[in-house]
Amino acid sequence: MTEVIFREAARADLPAVLALLADDVLGRTRDLPEVDEAYERAFADLDADPRNHLIVADDGGELVGCFQLTYIPGLGRHGAERCLIESVRVRSDRRGRGLGRTMMRWAIDRAREHGCALVQLTTDKQRADAHRFYRDLGFVASHEGMKLAL
């Protein structure tokens, strides 16, 4: 195994990223593994926005993980900026070997370097293993998240 590097996703990575999103019990029900116009548009929007970063974990040219970082300015907490981490995925054959922890530490370090006062994320209530994983990293379930599908 080569050293995993973290980098901004390129358009050529989109099929592999979609495969990661769909390689999951919940992802299978809401994500498609094929690139279509909606995914093309979403990738272009992310790529053009300096506050959004789609990051991939690249192991010798093979994508083994991904996540999205979004920097959110705000007035709360004395004008603090926060980092939202979303769509964290580790390829199924690489789970349980420390890659997720390495990815999250990398993401948290980027948030610190960016000057963020807070890192936040949401995780589905059905993901008990993910809840333990995030708690072990120091995250606290301090808020009740709510979503409204449109």
Side-chain angles (χ1 to χ4, degrees), residues 43-112:
F43 181 83
D45 288 346
L46 282 167
D47 197 43
D49 185 343
R51 291 192 170 277
N52 277 287
H53 303 275
L54 180 58
I55 305 298
V56 294
D58 183 324
D59 186 359
E62 203 175 346
L63 296 192
V64 294
C66 66
F67 54 94
Q68 179 180 334
L69 301 179
T70 301
Y71 298 108
I72 306 168
L75 294 174
R77 297 178 183 250
H78 198 231
E81 190 160 29
R82 62 191 65 211
C83 178
L84 175 67
I85 303 175
E86 282 287 322
S87 300
V88 177
R89 296 291 192 284
V90 172
R91 202 172 69 190
S92 58
D93 65 333
R94 296 293 292 266
R95 293 180 192 147
R97 300 187 337 202
L99 178 59
R101 182 172 303 281
T102 302
M103 287 169 42
M104 291 301 295
R105 287 186 176 141
W106 188 93
I108 293 164
D109 287 346
R110 296 303 78 73
R112 275 194 191 97

Side-chain angles (χ1 to χ4, degrees), residues 13 15 17 20 22 64 85 93 96 123-124:
D13 297 321
V17 170
L20 286 167
V64 294
I85 303 175
D93 65 333
T123 181
D124 194 283

